[in-house]
Amino acid sequence: MSRQLLHRLSVLSALVAALAIPFSLSAQQEPTSTAEASNDASIEAAGETADDEQASTFLDEITVSSTRSERTVGETAGSTTVIDAEKIADELMIDSQDLVRYEPGVYVDSDPTRLGLSGFNIRGIGGNRVQTQVDGIPTAEQFDFGPFSATQVGIELVNLQSAEIVRSSGSSLYGSDALGGVVSLVTKSPRDILGADSSALGVFLGYSGRNEEEFVGVSVAGQTDQWLGSLFVSGRQAAETENQGTLASNDRTRTAPNPIDTDDLNGLAKLTRVISPSNEIEFAAEFRNSESETDVISSQRVIDFSFVLPPGGQFLIDVQNVDAVDEQERTRFSLRQLAVVPTAIFDDFSWQGYVTQTETTQVVDELRINTVTLFGPPSVQRVARSGSFEFEQEGFGAEAQFRKTLGQSVEHRLTYGLSLRRDTFDVLRDREDIDLDTGALVPSSLIFPTKYFPESDVDEYGLYLQDEIELANGRLLLVPGVRYDRYDLQPDGNDQIFLDGNPGQPDPVGLEDSAVSPRLGVVASLTSKVSLVAQYASGFRAPPFSAVNNGFTNQAGGYRTLPNPDLEAETSRNVEAGFRFASNRGAFSVTYFDNTFDEFIETVTLGFNPQVGLLEFQPQNIDQVEISGVELSTDHRIASAWRLRTAFAYIEGDNVTDNVPLESIAPPEAVIGLDFNPANSPWNASLVATVVDDKDAEDLPGGRFAPEGYETLDLYLGYRFSESWDVRLGGFNLTDETYWQWSNARGLSASSSVLDRYTSPGRQAALSLRFRR
């Protein structure tokens, strides 16, 4: 840890304490008489005793994702974070980046100029190597190639009951795509909305100054003796996310954000049939549509193609007026049953079947001024270019899980199950250039329409078994587990669009692969308050369809990408060890982890091929990547109304093959939060300081931008008018710090003149109003 980070931590700790004094003084009003003082002291003492007995911490939160059975976080061998609906509401969380705002070592990949947020990154591993699921159903994969990108579909947080982040590999329970961890999102059920009532109505209104976002959400629920139902509908309108750039020019020198208009519509309906108190079936239907229109001023540029002309000639393309429309649509239908039916082989079981469809459509329109100078005066041509990209994933799957408890002196809690899924992937890219002066179609050296990969079916089958063994009267918990997965890629070898767009490339090939992923976790309770934990987990990720049969040739650009049917599956070996302390006043946890990844798949440069006259790229396996670090969390009840929370992560990562550091690793980060929540008071408040260290320039390739460290301060105030109404106000980056988050700054050049374009918002506020009846 650097001295700068220690200095920032000390300064912000003092600032948090100083700003907390007014709240503390307001909570310590003197009573008006000695009798009242004595009475208040008795009440306060009783209150503190009650709080001490019932105080809960992050180690008491219930997780299901870590072991597929209900356990407290303190009882799990791996590192898991649970974010519940109350925290989502209290901290005014709007999107996936807000969800991990105070989770050091976890961030969301981002493109602040147009496409916005994408997938989660856990301990330096992101993209499709982290499995994100909603109600146990995997979300669509991400896909990036050239100017187009299918990002992860946005998440509606207001209707979440909980979000669980499982750090490190989850392949032993969740199979491929859980190589780097699992993000499990659970939406609210009718029971979550109803509580003890027979009907419920909820209205949520929100505003965020970060992007001038306006939000409205409505939920209704009701029940009879045998049926429960709920409906949630929400809509959002937002502009571009603010930054600290001040130059609002209309060309590529612009550092202010590109103008963006976004509309989101989300709906989720659930219907539950209660067959008996221990047996019920739930049907769910989900729809989400998001559309953004962006004036991509930052993409204006001048391209020099003079190298294609004889010496002395000049060919310049001035790209102007770049407009993009990005739309994502997701639908999901699922049917799930949970039942307690004791038999010889299981005590309870659950199964789920689902059908999903996710489609990304992107259209980019450009005005191009082509200037060619050869032997005489320059020739100028005005061209309107319209490019389109469609990425579609359709899937269906089913999963069944069974649990059985055995033994008396030694208890075994068996969890076993099977899963199968098929996903169909397809892509289409098209482009058209029109001469604005003649109306004629401008010929292209590229073949359109084209595909980056042929239409492909991917089948995945999995079998898993886990045993939670309690020894020594529950003071020692062993959790061995193993999963077998089979992966089968079946491309359409007759996909004519792909074949026509990639002449001379090898025909598409299928791929079959399988893996066994073992896991062993240990939780040893040395005393009622102190425990040691350790875990070994193996992970794997099958070669992606888009790498096995990849193909794109750009003659004018002088390059092409090649498929690689010989790719090996990525694998990992993850080791963790930690110490935990929990009492009725608070908790402490520290974890060390060391993760090794083999056969990491990355696209590499093969060099210039003189036979075809093109620079060639190809996905290949990197022999080894190593990531290690330390994570620390504390949660302490200072007094009956005061709570102090901290979190810290320090992570290092290296490409061992090439002996270079990994760029995906975020700099060290610490979070300090102070909560004020007096009993029987309508008020509550939280003050949160975030401290991020400098990004070490030595960990980046030469010439890359290494952001300086920063400190931010956020304040939340809540007031409950009644049982039905409450309001929440948030102030973010109160010191108006200019800073770069690593998720935005990664990959930038240090010499760039537009670095401010990638800064995070300055001082801003958010407001929410909730009604529940």
Side-chain angles (χ1 to χ4, degrees):
M1 192 190 310
S2 69
R3 291 183 178 180
Q4 292 94 330
L5 182 61
L6 287 171
H7 174 71
R8 294 187 180 104
L9 281 171
S10 62
V11 170
L12 271 182
S13 297
L15 185 57
V16 168
L19 290 176
I21 291 175
F23 292 108
S24 178
L25 293 176
S26 66
Q28 296 177 359
Q29 298 178 355
E30 293 185 2
T32 56
S33 68
T34 305
E36 287 177 345
S38 176
N39 185 51
D40 287 348
S42 300
I43 293 174
E44 183 177 347
E48 287 193 8
T49 302
D51 285 339
D52 288 349
E53 293 174 352
Q54 300 174 9
S56 62
T57 70
F58 68 94
L59 292 180
D60 299 307
E61 294 170 328
I62 301 297
T63 174
V64 177
S65 302
S66 183
T67 61
R68 283 189 179 263
S69 62
E70 289 192 355
R71 288 278 186 184
T72 66
V73 171
E75 294 176 316
T76 62
S79 297
T80 303
T81 299
V82 179
I83 303 170
D84 59 22
E86 183 179 0
K87 186 174 183 180
I88 291 173
D90 286 348
E91 295 184 355
L92 297 167
M93 296 182 183
I94 296 173
D95 54 36
S96 55
Q97 194 170 59
D98 295 334
L99 196 65
V100 297
R101 183 190 295 147
Y102 304 128
E103 295 297 323
V106 182
Y107 64 88
V108 176
D109 292 312
S110 174
D111 169 21
T113 64
R114 173 185 151 200
L115 296 174
L117 305 178
S118 189
F120 292 91
N121 186 296
I122 301 176
R123 293 175 173 173
I125 301 296
N128 293 324
R129 296 182 177 97
V130 172
Q131 185 179 111
T132 303
Q133 56 183 25
V134 179
D135 293 336
I137 301 171
T139 59
E141 294 197 15
Q142 302 168 225
F143 178 78
D144 302 282
F145 196 100
F148 297 98
S149 175
T151 61
Q152 190 175 84
V153 176
I155 303 164
E156 182 53 81
L157 300 187
V158 174
N159 198 39
L160 284 188
Q161 180 63 18
S162 68
E164 298 186 23
I165 302 171
V166 180
R167 291 164 169 82
S168 198
S169 172
S171 292
S172 65
L173 290 176
Y174 297 98
S176 185
D177 299 338
L179 188 77
V182 178
V183 178
S184 179
L185 310 172
V186 180
T187 60
K188 292 178 180 177
S189 69
R191 281 195 177 87
D192 295 325
I193 298 174
L194 288 166
D197 300 323
S198 59
S199 64
L201 170 66
V203 179
F204 185 99
L205 302 175
Y207 172 81
S208 173
R210 177 178 60 189
N211 56 353
E212 298 182 3
E213 179 168 301
E214 299 171 350
F215 170 83
V216 58
V218 179
S219 64
V220 293
Q223 66 175 326
T224 65
D225 291 340
Q226 295 183 321
W227 294 93
L228 297 92
S230 63
L231 175 64
F232 173 80
V233 179
S234 67
R236 296 179 183 270
Q237 288 186 329
E240 62 276 6
T241 298
E242 294 298 324
N243 63 18
Q244 296 279 56
T246 58
L247 183 58
S249 59
N250 245 352
D251 55 36
R252 60 184 177 274
T253 64
R254 182 184 181 96
T255 59
N258 293 321
I260 301 177
D261 289 316
T262 300
D263 291 289
D264 281 343
L265 180 64
N266 183 81
L268 175 63
K270 290 188 176 183
L271 184 63
T272 302
R273 171 71 163 89
V274 180
I275 301 172
S276 72
S278 59
N279 188 356
E280 61 184 40
I281 297 177
E282 179 186 83
F283 169 76
E286 178 188 11
F287 170 81
R288 182 176 179 88
N289 178 271
S290 175
E291 181 175 315
S292 295
E293 298 180 2
T294 307
D295 183 0
V296 198
I297 300 172
S298 60
S299 288
Q300 296 182 20
R301 61 200 184 277
V302 175
I303 308 172
D304 190 346
F305 277 108
S306 300
F307 65 88
V308 302
L309 299 178
Q314 189 176 53
F315 181 14
L316 300 178
I317 300 177
D318 187 2
V319 181
Q320 303 177 359
N321 299 339
V322 183
D323 296 310
V325 178
D326 304 302
E327 184 175 6
Q328 286 188 317
E329 190 172 289
R330 166 184 162 90
T331 57
R332 181 253 294 194
F333 299 97
S334 61
L335 188 65
R336 183 186 185 194
Q337 182 179 13
L338 300 93
V340 178
V341 184
T343 68
I345 59 174
F346 60 79
D347 296 328
D348 60 74
F349 72 90
S350 63
W351 64 266
Q352 178 169 244
Y354 62 86
V355 177
T356 63
Q357 181 177 17
T358 304
E359 185 173 356
T360 298
T361 303
Q362 298 176 337
V363 177
V364 179
D365 294 324
E366 300 175 349
L367 171 62
R368 293 185 162 218
I369 309 299
N370 300 338
T371 304
V372 179
T373 304
L374 201 52
F375 302 110
S379 172
V380 179
Q381 181 185 40
R382 297 188 312 124
V383 175
R385 167 170 290 184
S386 180
S388 65
F389 168 82
E390 297 177 12
F391 179 80
E392 185 174 12
Q393 178 177 344
E394 296 180 349
F396 65 86
E399 180 175 3
Q401 178 175 294
F402 307 86
R403 296 189 300 183
K404 180 68 177 180
T405 300
L406 301 171
Q408 296 180 352
S409 59
V410 177
E411 182 177 285
H412 295 261
R413 186 187 299 181
L414 296 174
T415 302
Y416 59 97
L418 68 160
S419 65
L420 59 91
R421 56 184 288 203
R422 163 169 283 197
D423 289 290
T424 300
F425 300 90
D426 204 4
V427 66
L428 183 68
R429 180 183 173 187
D430 205 354
R431 195 178 78 191
E432 185 178 71
D433 289 353
I434 302 293
D435 188 317
L436 291 177
D437 296 320
T438 67
L441 185 67
V442 179
S444 173
S445 61
L446 300 180
I447 300 173
F448 289 107
T450 190
K451 292 186 175 184
Y452 298 127
F453 58 84
E455 181 177 346
S456 302
D457 292 330
V458 177
D459 295 331
E460 296 182 57
Y461 312 91
L463 297 169
Y464 60 89
L465 171 64
Q466 176 184 266
D467 189 8
E468 298 169 78
I469 309 170
E470 293 191 4
L471 303 169
N473 295 321
R475 299 185 65 174
L476 179 62
L477 176 65
L478 303 180
V479 188
V482 65
R483 179 176 174 121
Y484 170 81
D485 282 277
R486 184 166 184 80
Y487 173 93
D488 186 7
L489 166 63
Q490 305 162 32
D492 181 358
N494 297 315
D495 191 328
Q496 202 60 46
I497 296 178
F498 175 78
L499 297 176
D500 291 345
N502 295 276
Q505 296 271 38
D507 290 337
V509 299
L511 176 70
E512 294 183 358
D513 205 351
S514 61
V516 176
S517 305
R519 172 177 178 254
L520 176 62
V522 180
V523 180
S525 300
L526 304 183
T527 69
S528 60
K529 299 180 179 180
V530 177
S531 61
L532 300 178
V533 297
Q535 175 177 256
Y536 169 84
S538 175
F540 98 103
R541 176 176 176 250
F545 60 91
S546 56
V548 175
N549 293 305
N550 182 26
F552 183 70
T553 302
N554 188 334
Q555 293 285 352
Y559 69 90
R560 72 173 181 176
T561 61
L562 300 175
N564 190 350
D566 299 321
L567 287 171
E568 299 288 338
E570 299 176 337
T571 60
S572 67
R573 302 181 302 278
N574 306 272
V575 178
E576 293 188 21
F579 170 87
R580 293 172 184 165
F581 172 85
S583 71
N584 56 6
R585 299 290 293 182
F588 170 86
S589 174
V590 60
T591 301
Y592 170 78
F593 62 90
D594 191 335
N595 301 338
T596 301
F597 300 86
D598 295 319
E599 307 296 349
F600 221 57
I601 298 174
E602 295 286 357
T603 298
V604 302
T605 304
L606 300 182
F608 183 77
N609 185 339
Q611 294 182 349
V612 295
L614 297 172
L615 182 65
E616 293 183 330
F617 300 87
Q618 185 182 49
Q620 291 193 356
N621 292 108
I622 297 174
D623 287 344
Q624 195 170 88
V625 169
E626 291 185 356
I627 299 176
S628 61
V630 176
E631 296 167 338
L632 181 148
S633 297
T634 70
D635 190 347
H636 183 63
R637 185 67 62 92
I638 301 174
S640 60
W642 292 92
R643 183 176 184 176
L644 180 66
R645 298 173 288 117
T646 65
F648 171 76
Y650 176 85
I651 304 173
E652 293 182 336
D654 294 287
N655 176 342
V656 179
T657 304
D658 299 329
N659 193 29
V660 295
L662 288 179
E663 287 189 68
S664 60
I665 304 297
E669 180 180 355
V671 175
I672 307 169
L674 185 64
D675 301 335
F676 177 67
N677 192 8
N680 303 320
S681 171
W683 287 98
N684 64 82
S686 296
L687 190 63
V688 184
T690 301
V691 186
V692 178
D693 200 7
D694 302 335
K695 183 64 179 178
D696 194 340
E698 295 181 357
D699 291 342
L700 301 175
R704 288 287 175 84
F705 174 54
E708 295 182 353
Y710 59 88
E711 311 89 25
T712 62
L713 198 62
D714 304 332
L715 176 65
Y716 302 95
L717 297 173
Y719 183 78
R720 180 175 292 278
F721 298 98
S722 66
E723 289 296 320
S724 299
W725 290 93
D726 67 77
V727 64
R728 193 76 176 165
L729 175 66
F732 302 93
N733 192 8
L734 297 179
T735 58
D736 205 27
E737 177 92 349
T738 298
Y739 66 98
W740 290 262
Q741 292 177 283
W742 186 237
S743 57
N744 293 343
R746 180 178 162 188
L748 296 179
S749 169
S751 62
S752 172
S753 61
V754 293
L755 287 175
D756 285 354
R757 180 188 297 162
Y758 301 90
T759 54
S760 292
R763 187 184 298 113
Q764 10 95 43
L767 177 71
S768 72
L769 179 65
R770 290 188 297 172
F771 169 79
R772 290 161 292 182
R773 180 180 61 81

